[in-house]
């Protein structure tokens, strides 16, 4: 656990509300982002974020510090999202990986043609992620978006590290296959119509 987090957690466990508020300020964007990407709704993500920190406050006495505080929050967030989606029992058609609250992938402004292609690719990525099972989508988000290492993902999802590696590999393969179907991410075709040509 980060030194700053550990001190704040220790203080918060003793009932120090300002210390807990500092933890919330440090981690709320990451919690919100994960909730948004799993639910696809800003409103739902805000509610889940509040729920997660309420559960964290109540659960602090049981938090042993064996995993990082952020990893514990990811687990609470994932569980809260899973519970929420099961209760809703609905398809989230509005989920998008293109979150305006996140920094852009590149600083340089694209040309109009590049902007169109980027939008098409983003839409294809969103649709492909939508088709993945929740388990695969979650593990990809934790690794590729949140940047967690294998050990942190294992702790967040309560899985062995080896299982995380194998599931992540399968999820990446499934996503790659789905994206290749749309041709936007497929290798360019050669003149004879077969794939594998050079750009």
């Amino acid at each position: 656990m980060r030194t700053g987090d550990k001190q704040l957690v220790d203080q918060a466990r003793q009932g120090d509300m300002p210390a807990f508020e500092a933890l919330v300020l440090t981690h709320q964007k990451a919690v919100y982002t994960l909730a948004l990407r799993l639910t696809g709704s800003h409103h739902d993500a805000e509610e889940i974020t509040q729920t997660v920190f309420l559960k964290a406050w109540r659960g602090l006495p049981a938090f042993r510090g064996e995993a990082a505080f952020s990893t514990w929050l990811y687990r609470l967030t994932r569980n809260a999202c899973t519970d929420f989606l099961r209760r809703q029992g609905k398809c989230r058609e509005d989920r998008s990986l293109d979150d305006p609250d996140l920094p852009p992938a590149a600083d340089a402004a694209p040309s109009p043609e590049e902007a169109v292609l980027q939008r098409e690719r983003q839409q294809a990525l969103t649709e492909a992620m939508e088709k993945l099972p929740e388990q695969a989508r979650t593990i990809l988000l934790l690794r590729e978006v949140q940047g967690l290492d294998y050990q942190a993902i294992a702790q967040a999802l309560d899985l062995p590290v080896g299982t995380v590696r194998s599931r992540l590999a399968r999820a990446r393969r499934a996503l790659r296959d789905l994206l290749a179907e749309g041709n936007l991410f497929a290798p360019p075709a050669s003149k004879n119509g077969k794939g594998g040509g050079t750009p």
Side-chain angles (χ1 to χ4, degrees):
M1 192 188 310
R2 294 187 307 185
T3 304
D5 279 358
K6 186 178 188 312
Q7 183 177 357
L8 290 171
V9 167
D10 289 342
Q11 293 171 350
R13 289 176 71 176
Q14 297 171 19
D16 187 336
M17 183 55 76
F20 185 73
E21 289 173 353
L23 287 168
V24 172
L25 288 174
T26 300
H27 298 285
Q28 65 182 356
K29 184 173 179 63
V31 169
Y32 171 81
T33 300
L34 180 58
L36 175 62
R37 290 177 181 275
L38 289 174
T39 66
S41 163
H42 287 278
H43 175 73
D44 294 339
E46 288 171 359
E47 286 193 3
I48 287 171
T49 299
Q50 293 174 7
T51 298
V52 166
F53 283 109
L54 180 59
K55 288 183 176 180
W57 172 250
R58 292 174 176 170
L60 272 177
F63 177 61
R64 303 292 179 219
E66 295 169 356
F69 182 72
S70 59
T71 300
W72 184 55
L73 285 178
Y74 283 129
R75 180 183 293 186
L76 291 176
T77 305
R78 188 248 185 173
N79 291 342
C81 288
T82 298
D83 291 345
F84 171 81
L85 294 173
R86 283 177 182 160
R87 286 197 307 271
Q88 295 298 307
K90 63 181 182 180
C91 180
R92 285 113 34 228
E93 295 178 358
D94 59 341
R95 177 166 59 243
S96 173
L97 297 178
D98 190 14
D99 181 3
D101 294 330
L102 296 177
D107 294 333
S111 68
E113 294 81 7
E114 290 171 337
V116 169
L117 183 58
Q118 283 181 9
R119 282 196 298 272
E120 290 177 349
R121 285 183 167 176
Q122 184 61 57
Q123 182 62 33
L125 179 60
T126 298
E127 292 174 359
M129 287 290 286
E130 177 71 27
K131 294 175 182 177
L132 290 174
E134 181 186 343
Q135 183 185 85
R137 188 167 57 247
T138 298
I139 206 164
L140 278 172
L141 290 173
L142 289 175
R143 177 62 179 167
E144 308 298 347
V145 177
Q146 302 296 341
L148 271 63
D149 61 25
Y150 294 118
Q151 185 63 43
I153 295 172
Q155 292 172 337
L157 301 182
D158 196 21
L159 294 170
V161 173
T163 302
V164 168
R165 290 180 184 277
S166 61
R167 288 187 182 179
L168 185 59
R170 285 198 301 270
R172 284 171 170 161
R173 193 160 47 245
L175 181 62
R176 186 168 57 245
D177 291 346
L178 286 168
L179 291 172
E181 290 175 8
N183 293 324
L184 286 172
F185 294 81
S190 62
K191 291 181 179 178
N192 61 9
K194 296 181 180 179
T198 55

